[in-house]
Amino acid sequence: MTATAPRATTRRAATDAGPGDGESVGTGHAACHHGEILQGVFLDERGRRCQALVTLPMNGPGSTAHFTPRTGTPPDDVRVTPAGRTKARAAAVLALRECAARLSAAPCGGVLTLTGDIPVGLGMGSSTSDVIATVRAVADAWGVRLPPRTIAGLAVRAEGASDPLMLAPGPPLLFAQREGRTLEALGPALPPAAVLGCALGGGAPVDTLALPAPAYDARDLDTYEHLRRMLRRAVSDGDTALLGRVATASARLGQRRLTHAEFPALTRIADRVGAVGVQIAHSGNVAGVLFDPRTPGLNARLHRCARDLEREGITPTRVFTTHPSPNSPASHQPTPSEDSSRGRAHLGSHRPAGPDTSRRRTRLPAV
């Protein structure tokens, strides 16, 4: 399987070895996700323990990268805008060397520009999205098609771990984030679910490097392997209720490390409004309440859930579905109030660190 790179603004001749002149601009894009459905420790095909996760995909927000090569400059001479995107810069340098090696050409530096609307520090894969968009933009500028496995390897080298965004859209995957490889394709698609997203911790960004490293024992392995089997069955049967049970169990286990003060209220509200469960990013503050979209009175339940969350100081952010209609938006950002606030901005960027925190009734769409 190979990734189809976006078209460059200016395409060089196929017989040229190396990037085009300074007018050639490569473009890449990558989506984000909404945290995890399942994350823990599992056995790989060789029976080896391996940390892995299953992300909850979300269309809409993402990162876009534009890369302009500068022929004759050193390959580590990459200027990035906004400044401070060190992981994306590292990914650009790695991708430059990879593309040059594939073409037997000399690598060079260039100019990288990133834009995007993914909140930083909430566990939505903002840095991975930047990194993958960057790799795709560099490859596009060089006219190279990089397979997803190569992109995954470069992403792991650039940031130490990677979500499986280079494989999206696609089937749900159990993905070893620190190794950049798929442990298992769980089936064709997730069961249908409507998700009311929200932000815990006041929407403050989480410094994942400051979190304690996960420590798993033999009992944890048994538990997560059981959840893996449950999720496999949920996907096979299209069982939204079982999906919710797996996500809730994983979120509950993750509280040993994240300790969200609002978690009891989140699960209590989910039970009260007839949701099938909750999911939480295991490296941030983004969370979601999961509903079966076939549930009678779904819109009324979503509105009630949003109101109850706000009463507990939990900010509703958006509604989206795992199976968005092609004729409707995949996700919806509620309109903030005039007195909404934002978290601390990402270093060197204009991208918000957290979602708008509306203090009035959230406007939610039909799904």
Side-chain angles (χ1 to χ4, degrees):
M1 178 179 178
T2 58
T4 301
R7 293 182 61 87
T9 302
T10 302
R11 177 66 67 206
R12 59 184 177 81
T15 56
D16 294 343
D21 57 26
E23 300 299 320
S24 178
V25 179
T27 301
H29 181 79
C32 68
H33 59 77
H34 201 265
E36 286 74 40
I37 295 170
L38 175 62
Q39 181 169 348
V41 61
F42 307 88
L43 294 178
D44 67 7
E45 68 281 0
R46 293 172 291 175
R48 183 175 61 92
R49 290 188 184 188
C50 186
Q51 292 185 41
L53 50 79
V54 180
T55 57
L56 178 60
M58 182 180 67
N59 294 324
S63 295
T64 298
H66 299 284
F67 183 78
T68 305
R70 298 174 64 236
T71 305
T73 60
D76 59 351
D77 183 10
V78 175
R79 292 180 291 177
V80 184
T81 303
R85 305 287 180 89
T86 56
K87 294 176 181 178
R89 183 188 179 281
V93 173
L94 291 169
L96 284 164
R97 296 185 184 277
E98 177 71 26
C99 292
R102 287 172 177 258
L103 295 175
S104 299
C108 66
V111 178
L112 174 66
T113 302
L114 290 161
T115 58
D117 52 1
I118 309 173
V120 174
L122 291 187
M124 297 175 69
S126 60
S127 61
T128 297
S129 183
D130 279 353
V131 163
I132 294 173
T134 294
V135 172
R136 287 173 170 167
V138 171
D140 188 42
W142 281 67
V144 171
R145 293 173 182 264
L146 295 179
R149 178 176 295 184
T150 300
I151 297 175
L154 295 174
V156 170
R157 290 171 63 189
E159 60 173 335
S162 175
D163 302 308
L165 298 177
M166 74 293 298
L167 295 163
L173 304 173
L174 182 63
F175 189 80
Q177 71 272 23
R178 298 186 182 279
E179 301 177 26
R181 63 188 182 96
T182 299
L183 298 188
E184 180 183 355
L186 296 163
L190 288 173
V195 184
L196 172 55
C198 58
L200 307 179
V206 172
D207 182 2
T208 55
L209 297 178
L211 293 173
Y216 300 114
D217 58 22
R219 182 178 300 178
D220 291 321
L221 178 62
D222 290 341
T223 299
Y224 283 112
E225 282 291 344
H226 177 63
L227 291 175
R228 175 184 188 173
R229 292 189 294 270
M230 289 175 62
L231 183 55
R232 188 188 297 140
R233 188 168 74 250
V235 171
S236 174
D237 297 346
D239 190 333
T240 306
L242 188 55
L243 173 73
R245 287 172 56 194
V246 171
T248 303
S250 180
R252 197 178 302 280
L253 289 167
Q255 290 309 297
R256 296 181 301 185
R257 180 168 176 251
L258 294 172
T259 62
H260 289 110
E262 307 98 326
F263 185 74
L266 183 69
T267 54
R268 185 172 62 250
I269 291 169
D271 289 341
R272 189 162 62 226
V273 298
V276 298
V278 301
Q279 60 86 212
I280 288 181
H282 287 62
S283 60
N285 277 330
V286 70
V289 182
L290 308 178
F291 292 84
D292 188 326
R294 298 157 293 197
T295 302
L298 175 61
N299 284 335
R301 293 175 190 270
L302 289 167
H303 281 289
R304 180 184 173 193
C305 184
R307 290 194 301 269
D308 289 353
L309 290 172
E310 288 179 328
R311 291 191 186 102
E312 294 287 346
I314 302 172
T315 305
T317 53
R318 69 180 72 241
V319 172
F320 64 98
T321 66
T322 56
H323 291 192
S325 166
N327 298 320
S328 63
S331 64
H332 169 85
Q333 183 73 33
T335 304
S337 62
E338 288 81 7
D339 64 344
S340 62
S341 60
R342 293 182 180 270
R344 178 175 55 85
H346 180 68
L347 176 63
S349 81
H350 301 291
R351 188 162 61 186
D356 291 312
T357 54
S358 173
R359 296 186 182 276
R360 68 182 180 187
R361 179 174 176 176
T362 305
R363 299 174 184 174
L364 300 172
V367 292

